[in-house]
Amino acid sequence: MDTAADRLDVTFAALADPTRRAILSRLTTGEATVTELARPFDMSQPAISKHLQVLERAGLVSRGRDAQRRPRRLEARPLKEATDWLENYRGYWEESYRRLDTLLEELKARDEGRTP
């Protein structure tokens, strides 16, 4: 991945799937093996492994080594980059909500027969 835009594309694509989001949620409590991650899902270990490959390509999960175990762990940096990108739109939404609040107050005042 060359650019921040490419990293965001891969991160958001990985986050688009509910199974992958659930895996990330589980990893917030600590590392886990593929078997442990597959347990709550009605799917095979190979299917979970494919989801983990997508998460690894996005940099959201890394693979450790603990004797015979290969635990996965959450890597939060791509989530921070996505959050920072989304934060750029907070001002837009806050202003939109302020305008909506003003309009609602004006409509309410008009309906009550008074001027704003």
Side-chain angles (χ1 to χ4, degrees):
M1 281 178 275
D2 299 315
T3 68
D6 292 337
R7 288 191 305 272
L8 280 174
D9 289 347
V10 173
T11 298
F12 283 121
L15 294 173
D17 184 274
T19 300
R20 292 193 286 268
R21 291 192 307 271
I23 289 169
L24 291 177
S25 180
R26 163 52 186 89
L27 290 174
T28 63
T29 66
E31 60 184 35
T33 63
V34 174
T35 302
E36 294 165 338
L37 292 169
R39 198 169 289 136
F41 300 102
D42 185 24
M43 61 179 66
S44 67
Q45 276 188 315
I48 290 294
S49 292
K50 287 182 181 183
H51 284 294
L52 286 168
Q53 288 172 355
V54 172
L55 292 168
E56 287 175 14
R57 275 194 302 272
L60 292 163
V61 170
S62 64
R63 187 184 315 199
R65 186 174 186 136
D66 180 17
Q68 297 300 324
R69 295 178 66 234
R70 300 275 191 283
R72 301 321 200 272
R73 70 181 57 88
L74 177 67
E75 298 295 338
R77 183 173 169 231
L79 293 173
K80 168 91 170 79
E81 291 172 353
T83 299
D84 290 347
W85 182 84
L86 289 168
E87 187 65 30
N88 291 325
Y89 295 92
R90 180 184 298 272
Y92 168 79
W93 287 109
E94 287 175 350
E95 179 57 30
S96 294
Y97 288 131
R98 274 193 292 277
R99 288 193 316 266
L100 180 59
D101 286 342
T102 301
L103 176 61
L104 291 173
E105 285 298 318
E106 290 171 2
L107 292 173
K108 183 178 175 184
R110 187 186 71 197
D111 287 348
E112 293 174 354
R114 56 186 169 93
T115 58

